[in-house]
Amino acid sequence: MTSREQHDRMANAIRFLSMDAVEKANSGHPGLPMGCADIATVLFTRFLKYDPKAPHWADRDRFILSAGHGSMLLYSLLHLTGYEDMTIDQIKHFRQLGSKTAGHPEYGHATGIETTTGPLGQGLANSVGFALGERIMNAAFGNDLVDHYTYVLAGDGCLMEGVSQEAIALAGHLKLNKLIVFWDNNNISIDGPVSLADNTDQVARFQASGWNASHIDGTDSEAIAYAIEAARHSDKPTMIACKTTIGFGAPTKAGTNKAHGSPLGPDEIAGARKFFNWDSPPFEIPADILDAWRTAGKAGVKARTDWEGRLAKADPKLKAEFERRTSGKLPANFDSVIADYKKKLSADKPKVATRKSSEMALEVINGAVPETIGGSADLTGSNNTKTSQTKNITPDDYGQRYVHYGIREHGMAAAINGLTLHGGLIAYGGTFMCFSDYARPSMRLASLMGIRSIFVMTHDSIGLGEDGPTHQPVEHMAALRAIPNHNVFRPADAVETAECWQIALESEKTPSTLALTRQNLPTVRTEFTEKNLSSQGAYELAAASGEAAVTIFATGSEVEIALGARDLLEKHGHPTRVVSVPCFELFDKQSDAYRKKTIGDAPIKMAIEAGIRQGWDHLIGSDGIFIGMTGFGASGTIEQLYPHFGITAEAAAKAAEARLQGR
Ligand SMILES: Cc1ncc(C[n+]2csc(CCOP(=O)(O)OP(=O)(O)O)c2C)c(N)n1
């Protein structure tokens, strides 16, 4: 049992590492680590199940620093508890180029960082996915293999962000009782006191969303321990409102916004050294305190080795499946399942919307890949995200595979990231493409983290018809393509849809968005190919009858229009080829030779996509012809809208011919 004095000195080690690292970097946020050091010390020395020597241990408790600006709190903990890659040198190089100690915690930089945080609210919203993932994996593999908590430290900023409401409502609804959130209740944000902008009774708010919530003194180690103990035995998620002081110990800046986000300066730091009676120089931890921390960091070894013993003794099939799923590898027969399915599609030639093609592909995928977890933000029937295998996950049955996320696109995307990061699961969720804007902050983070989150975005153009311009994406393809490391797919038919799903599932380090139509489309890939042609990003779908005068590039629903335009142009004696472009990002990754060959050297290059032109010039050149949208859409039938906006085979052929004649 740690004495109060020992606890205090251990907490002070966090405080000094943090304030000294910020000082050396001449940038960063000392206030949060200084205020929350007691909470972190109690958690990491008395409750958290972890082993720094086995940081990827599947059944570890997760700790998520949602208030990512307080990154030095996490880095200090990782160093003190003995994570090998978090050396004192890394701490000294806080925020420097090439260090693991980035300004905000970044997933993949150092072990022990469970998710990237910094955009406030994201970590809290991810944690719903982590906690749900734990319950789903527990239902699949039992208490012996999966039984852990998800702890979160969130600040005022996290709780003010809208996504937090989506997250806490979902967690409360799903009764994720192993989710425990500490709120750093310090009444300070950047502009000053929180009361400048907010007077919410946070405890009442969480309680109203189905949580346990109570106030404690966030510097009282016994109160913290008592609250955690109670939370661990609760049948609801728990929020512990911890009264703290930002920059605790800094003589004049404590309790003020001056301690939030800039170095404290030598005088304040000297004052803090006096206040805490801490005479070690910067980056030196007294040997007995470092020892105590390292001992705490070893406390989980027994739990980890016991767990390994249970895994070794588990039924061999269960063990193999657990290991496969947590390694992120797909079942061995996955590729052949998709190839067989593609063969069938090329023979059947269905004429269905790609959202329906997606459902058909998912029916096959969900049958072969038991770790997929589907969902939708209240548009299940429109997004076609549910299949025969995916029944509803409820608080009484986590052993199912479908999440009704409610009308919470942002919360859904963040939870998908959390499910993905938890491990053992492949999560996808749907909404209307236009509302990808509502999910975008989490989609961007999926890309930054390099994880396999999958976003299903249906109703991908004016083709959705009468719902009108509020619902018609126009700039969304361009906007999503602008996110680095994000595969944005717009498949043209059922075969391409199956191929795009295959790539999405196989892309372990890149999230995917599938842009899917509401309107029916013919099968254009009528000849079976074993090879996944969509994986090249773009490929020649129809060759010209002679030396090509025109190349038409198109995506999704406009591939049919491109083929129609080709027919007209060929009839008029202009050899024309059509290139289907299901994914810009993947095409950009092809060899120069392949790109050159696919773009070709036809004198007229044209692109057809029912969205804005932005991004297309790199295929058609700035003098290429673009058939698409130049502004918002309109309400009307699909039969009216395409001609109204000039997106037809006739209009495309006419534009090409006009250009040919002008030559
Ligand atoms: C989405 C988002 N908006 C704005 C910011 C910039 N920002 C960083 S910290 C912060 C204030 C947070 O206040 P609080 O959570 O109370 O943290 P504390 O001051 O207690 O450290 C803001 C606005 C951000 N990181 N993320």
Side-chain angles (χ1 to χ4, degrees):
M1 175 82 184
T2 326
S3 69
R4 177 71 214 203
E5 194 209 343
Q6 170 121 329
H7 163 90
D8 288 347
R9 293 181 69 218
M10 291 173 82
N12 290 342
I14 296 174
R15 294 190 171 99
F16 282 97
L17 278 179
S18 300
M19 73 179 101
D20 289 334
V22 170
E23 200 65 17
K24 182 160 192 291
N26 199 21
S27 106
H29 300 75
L32 182 147
M34 294 168 74
C36 293
D38 294 302
I39 303 165
T41 302
V42 172
L43 182 63
F44 274 69
T45 60
R46 292 166 68 174
F47 292 98
L48 197 75
K49 182 173 75 170
Y50 66 110
D51 182 351
K53 300 287 179 284
H56 304 294
W57 167 27
D59 198 34
R60 67 193 181 280
D61 286 341
R62 309 304 200 262
F63 172 69
I64 295 164
L65 181 65
S66 188
H69 58 280
S71 54
M72 267 313 305
L73 176 83
L74 180 57
Y75 302 150
S76 301
L77 286 163
L78 297 180
H79 172 68
L80 291 167
T81 53
Y83 284 77
E84 278 165 9
D85 55 351
M86 192 53 74
T87 59
I88 195 70
D89 230 46
Q90 290 292 340
I91 304 279
K92 287 180 188 166
H93 287 88
F94 176 49
R95 290 190 157 222
Q96 305 308 303
L97 188 63
S99 74
K100 293 174 189 290
T101 45
H104 296 80
E106 288 196 47
Y107 176 70
H109 279 215
T111 55
I113 300 173
E114 303 285 2
T115 180
T116 295
T117 53
L120 297 170
Q122 289 294 330
L124 177 60
N126 289 162
S127 73
V128 178
F130 276 99
L132 179 59
E134 189 271 346
R135 287 292 80 199
I136 295 170
M137 290 291 281
N138 171 274
F141 294 102
N143 287 339
D144 272 0
L145 298 188
V146 185
D147 186 9
H148 59 261
Y149 290 91
T150 302
Y151 295 96
V152 182
L153 179 59
D156 300 304
C158 294
L159 299 198
M160 274 195 251
E161 290 293 349
V163 71
S164 70
Q165 186 54 40
E166 299 183 23
I168 69 171
L170 190 56
H173 166 73
L174 289 169
K175 292 197 170 66
L176 299 176
N177 66 327
K178 302 185 81 178
L179 176 58
I180 301 173
V181 174
F182 303 96
W183 166 37
D184 175 24
N185 176 17
N186 64 15
N187 190 37
I188 291 291
S189 63
I190 292 180
D191 280 0
V194 167
S195 55
L196 285 172
D198 193 59
N199 274 304
T200 305
D201 179 341
Q202 297 290 2
V203 163
R205 175 190 172 210
F206 274 77
Q207 285 169 342
S209 299
W211 290 54
N212 283 316
S214 58
H215 287 283
I216 64 162
D217 175 350
T219 62
D220 177 341
S221 55
E222 289 320 300
I224 297 165
Y226 185 84
I228 297 174
E229 197 58 62
R232 284 156 63 98
H233 295 99
S234 162
D235 57 357
K236 300 173 184 173
T238 298
M239 190 277 269
I240 306 169
C242 306
K243 192 78 211 147
T244 63
T245 302
I246 192 166
F248 180 62
T252 70
K253 294 187 176 174
T256 76
N257 56 344
K258 292 197 176 78
H260 165 88
S262 36
L264 293 173
D267 293 350
E268 290 287 312
I269 291 189
R273 278 194 151 69
K274 222 167 172 179
F275 177 81
F276 289 117
N277 200 15
W278 185 269
D279 44 26
S280 299
F283 308 111
E284 278 181 32
I285 308 296
D288 63 317
I289 292 303
L290 187 58
D291 244 31
W293 267 114
R294 291 286 150 91
T295 304
K298 287 185 188 119
V301 171
K302 181 170 170 2
R304 196 249 305 164
T305 49
D306 286 354
W307 178 87
E308 283 168 353
R310 293 196 296 276
L311 179 64
K313 278 198 229 118
D315 170 73
K317 260 174 86 179
L318 189 83
K319 174 174 182 282
E321 181 64 358
F322 182 81
E323 287 175 337
R324 180 191 70 74
R325 284 179 54 168
T326 50
S327 76
K329 297 290 165 237
L330 294 167
N333 66 345
F334 180 67
D335 282 344
S336 68
V337 167
I338 296 288
D340 289 348
Y341 174 58
K342 271 172 52 179
K343 206 175 282 172
K344 184 172 165 344
L345 286 175
S346 291
D348 293 354
K349 304 180 189 45
K351 185 172 168 110
V352 292
T354 48
R355 62 175 172 151
K356 179 70 186 169
S357 305
S358 171
E359 180 188 319
M360 288 156 52
L362 280 172
E363 186 67 34
V364 174
I365 290 165
N366 289 342
V369 185
E371 61 266 39
T372 50
I373 302 296
S376 167
D378 201 45
L379 288 168
T380 294
S382 301
N383 299 147
N384 297 53
T385 35
K386 201 164 190 178
T387 65
S388 66
Q389 306 87 351
T390 57
K391 307 272 185 302
N392 293 348
I393 292 170
T394 70
D396 300 321
D397 187 1
Y398 296 111
Q400 301 298 339
R401 293 170 59 188
Y402 198 82
V403 185
H404 285 282
Y405 285 101
I407 307 112
R408 303 183 182 109
E409 297 82 7
H410 196 177
M412 172 177 73
I416 286 173
N417 289 349
L419 285 163
T420 306
L421 288 160
H422 177 276
L425 302 166
I426 299 175
Y428 66 86
T431 183
F432 287 154
M433 173 106 168
C434 210
F435 307 136
S436 62
D437 286 342
Y438 277 46
R440 187 180 174 90
S442 303
M443 296 170 78
R444 178 176 189 269
L445 281 176
S447 293
L448 177 60
M449 288 191 269
I451 59 172
R452 182 172 40 188
S453 298
I454 304 176
F455 307 101
V456 178
M457 298 290 167
T458 68
H459 298 60
D460 70 349
S461 76
I462 53 164
L464 65 84
E466 291 86 344
D467 269 341
T470 55
H471 285 49
Q472 291 166 352
V474 171
E475 77 281 24
H476 296 73
M477 284 299 290
L480 291 170
R481 284 173 180 148
I483 303 177
N485 190 36
H486 201 104
N487 285 340
V488 185
F489 295 104
R490 192 161 185 256
D493 71 355
V495 177
E496 278 195 7
T497 304
E499 290 184 340
C500 294
W501 264 111
Q502 181 180 21
I503 302 162
L505 264 76
E506 288 176 349
S507 300
E508 287 183 45
K509 293 191 183 315
T510 304
S512 298
T513 291
L514 288 101
L516 303 168
T517 68
R518 173 176 181 266
Q519 71 267 37
N520 288 340
L521 302 176
T523 298
V524 293
R525 284 276 296 286
T526 47
E527 259 175 54
F528 169 70
T529 60
E530 179 99 31
K531 186 178 161 100
N532 185 324
L533 300 186
S534 302
S535 70
Q536 302 163 116
Y539 63 93
E540 185 176 272
L541 178 66
S545 59
E547 191 180 337
V550 182
T551 296
I552 307 178
F553 302 87
T555 70
S557 39
E558 284 70 71
V559 169
E560 180 187 13
I561 292 172
L563 290 169
R566 176 184 174 275
D567 285 349
L568 292 171
L569 287 164
E570 287 273 351
K571 236 182 250 162
H572 296 173
H574 309 300
T576 300
R577 54 197 283 274
V578 171
V579 174
S580 180
V581 192
C583 181
F584 273 23
E585 188 105 18
L586 291 177
F587 185 57
D588 291 347
K589 288 200 175 115
Q590 303 306 307
S591 67
D592 280 353
Y594 179 78
R595 283 174 43 78
K596 229 170 145 194
K597 186 182 94 187
T598 306
I599 292 172
D601 46 18
I604 307 293
K605 294 192 182 70
M606 170 188 282
I608 314 180
E609 184 171 74
I612 60 166
R613 177 173 184 137
Q614 193 173 321
W616 276 102
D617 286 10
H618 83 296
L619 289 183
I620 60 172
S622 56
D623 56 348
I625 301 168
F626 184 72
I627 304 285
M629 301 292 290
T630 52
F632 293 114
S635 292
T637 63
I638 182 171
E639 291 77 16
Q640 292 170 320
L641 289 174
Y642 269 82
H644 177 76
F645 289 107
I647 309 173
T648 61
E650 293 73 21
K654 214 166 133 192
E657 283 189 309
R659 190 67 74 85
L660 282 165
Q661 275 153 22
R663 280 165 53 81

